[in-house]
Amino acid sequence: MKHLSGVDATFLHFETTEMPMHVGSLNVLDLPEGYQGDFYEDAKACLAARLHLATVFTRKLALMPFDMSNPVWVEDEDIDIDYHVRHITLPQPGTNRQLQQYVARLHSTLLDRSRPLWEFFIIDGLKSGQVALYTKMHHAGIDGQAGIEVGKAIFDMAPTGRVVKPPRPRARRSSYQLGVAELAGAALRNTAAQYIKVVKLMPALGSAARGLAQRGDAAAAKDPRSFARRFNLLAPRTPFNVPITNQRSFAGRTISLAETKQLARHFGVSLNDVVMGTISGALRRYLADSNELPAKSLVAGVPVSLREAGDSTANNQVTGMTVSLASDVADPVERLEQIALSSNASKSVVNRFKPLILDDFPSFAAPWFMSGMASLIGRSGLVNVLPPMINVAISNVQGAPFPMYFAGALVTCNYPVSIAAHGTALNVTVQSYNGRMDYGLIACRRAVPDVIEIGDYMLAEHKLLMARMQETPAAGAAIPVPAKKPAAKKTRARATA
């Protein structure tokens, strides 16, 4: 058995029917030329041969007695591949919009916790002749970087695939769940270890907090408004900061990775700053359409990976930071500069505390407390009363820079499908793939029914930044100084005068 960390279990305990906590992706696939087979059967066979390559496919939850502590992962010895891999045919005419609406509907349903927490859907009937692969996996077992490792298990770098070594045979436990005494003993040992970790970190945590407070006081003394913008104490209220339902809307959009990198180099900011600048401009236009753009800047919640290089463990190793989107700034270039300023300030805080951030913490009675809090927040109306901390969630994941294949079919796009939450009804996640930046916008359909408009505004904002790049000198470029004209020779007449 393997214990869920405090962060992993949080995604389980905060899950409700209105707020599913799984993440996924939408891939549109080009079938091999002249293909005449049954792609659903081929895909199912391909996956069945590779389940052992990623632990997320073969483990399930074992709950603690009386929910006294976080659950543990145990191996599932009887995986029903026909349940986990399903087939859907779109109604005619099979447009891209129909595909995205169906994905939104599939993403709104909970995963079955008695089984391994994943489902794959093969979707055909597209008028383009392509097929689609929609995947969803519970966030309790995977974050963005761990998802890349899952991709390595199921995708290939050539249409011919690769030889996958079968798993070694192991003795079966012949038991569906672990015993009560075994689970209770494991819970007590794990809780004791969690408390020891916290006690050992307390001195270093206090020292870092004092240093941050001193820096904050100095920054506030110099410029209180700049301090407030950089550290984003509170966010303004927007139509995104509401309780959500289980209904979802989804849109996928693509922007050139090369152009995004070009913008980052030209304006002297990071690639992620350009992503946030594009989204900020789109949200500014969207809210202005209905006269709901607040005077104060929107604030984004941005995840930050805590993984060491080379760590591919299927769990969550992530914290978060807030970044001002400078949506109160009309000029897109100045807005980009302000976003970079805020992002750098937040990164400095995270880097200071990064070695001290726990991904595991004491979890005794956590299922009771967190589940109760999730229900209270979603159904009591507190979201409408409490000041919001963020307005939108934005995540950027680095993906494969080369073409990938699934069951012999070429993957043409890789749109992420993430989580909308109470108080944050809109989530924009972007993943790079083979020269593309694929944006996935997921939202509560009642709060943001027209999420397609935000996607279209993102494309327009990117074009605007590209146009401004042609008009603006590159960051750090020397301003040319006009050469002095040589002095004119004095004529004899002028000399005489």
Side-chain angles (χ1 to χ4, degrees), residues 193-209:
Q194 290 169 330
Y195 276 111
I196 291 171
K197 285 182 186 178
V198 172
V199 170
K200 286 182 177 180
L201 273 180
M202 289 303 291
L205 191 62
S207 175

Side-chain angles (χ1 to χ4, degrees), residues 155-429:
F155 294 124
D156 296 309
M157 297 176 62
T160 52
R162 66 187 190 271
V163 177
V164 177
K165 187 177 179 180
R168 291 181 179 177
R170 291 184 296 177
R172 295 172 64 94
R173 290 179 55 95
S174 68
S175 62
Y176 183 70
Q177 290 283 15
L178 301 180
V180 173
E182 188 178 1
L183 288 170
L188 292 174
R189 289 191 298 272
N190 187 56
T191 301
Q194 290 169 330
Y195 276 111
I196 291 171
K197 285 182 186 178
V198 172
V199 170
K200 286 182 177 180
L201 273 180
M202 289 303 291
L205 191 62
S207 175
R210 285 192 297 273
L212 180 64
Q214 291 171 358
R215 290 177 59 193
D217 291 342
K222 289 180 181 179
D223 187 351
R225 287 180 300 177
S226 174
F227 173 77
R229 177 185 287 277
R230 291 189 186 191
F231 291 96
N232 313 306
L233 301 181
L234 286 175
R237 185 161 294 282
T238 69
F240 310 135
N241 303 117
V242 294
I244 63 172
T245 68
N246 69 334
Q247 300 177 36
R248 294 291 177 266
S249 55
F250 174 74
R253 294 292 183 271
T254 298
I255 292 175
S256 164
L257 175 60
E259 291 180 357
T260 306
K261 288 181 176 179
Q262 189 180 3
L263 288 169
R265 285 192 301 267
H266 184 86
F267 292 114
V269 298
S270 72
L271 184 76
N272 204 45
D273 294 335
V274 177
V275 167
M276 288 189 285
T278 303
I279 296 170
S280 175
L283 295 181
R284 177 182 165 87
R285 296 183 188 211
Y286 175 79
L287 294 172
D289 282 349
S290 53
N291 295 319
E292 294 176 296
L293 179 66
K296 185 180 176 182
S297 171
L298 302 180
V299 176
V302 181
V304 179
S305 177
L306 300 175
R307 287 181 182 272
E308 298 293 337
D311 184 353
S312 58
T313 310
N315 65 353
N316 288 274
Q317 299 181 44
V318 66
T319 186
M321 67 181 190
T322 58
V323 177
S324 168
L325 292 179
S327 58
D328 54 337
V329 177
D331 183 76
V333 176
E334 184 184 348
R335 187 186 314 130
L336 193 58
E337 294 169 352
Q338 292 293 326
I339 289 172
L341 196 67
S342 176
S343 178
N344 290 335
S346 293
K347 286 176 187 175
S348 68
V349 175
V350 171
N351 289 336
R352 189 179 184 88
F353 282 90
K354 198 171 184 178
L356 308 175
I357 296 175
L358 286 171
D359 60 0
D360 197 13
F361 41 80
S363 56
F364 184 75
W368 292 349
F369 176 73
M370 291 186 181
S371 298
M373 285 295 295
S375 297
L376 178 66
I377 291 171
R379 301 178 184 180
S380 66
L382 277 176
V383 171
N384 295 322
V385 177
L386 297 175
M389 300 299 293
I390 63 172
N391 302 113
V392 59
I394 299 176
S395 182
N396 183 8
V397 181
Q398 182 178 359
F402 45 79
M404 299 185 301
Y405 296 84
F406 174 72
L410 174 65
V411 178
T412 65
C413 62
N414 192 10
Y415 295 115
V417 191
S418 195
I419 297 172
H422 291 304
T424 313
L426 174 65
N427 181 305
V428 184
T429 302

Side-chain angles (χ1 to χ4, degrees), residues 60-73:
K60 64 180 180 180
L61 294 171
L63 303 179
M64 289 294 169
F66 308 108
D67 278 340
M68 61 190 297
S69 185
N70 292 335
V72 294
W73 294 115

Side-chain angles (χ1 to χ4, degrees), residues 6 8-16 69-71 113 363 366-368 370-372 374:
D8 292 342
T10 297
F11 290 104
L12 283 176
H13 304 328
F14 276 126
E15 183 172 64
T16 63
S69 185
N70 292 335
R113 293 195 182 186
S363 56
W368 292 349
M370 291 186 181
S371 298

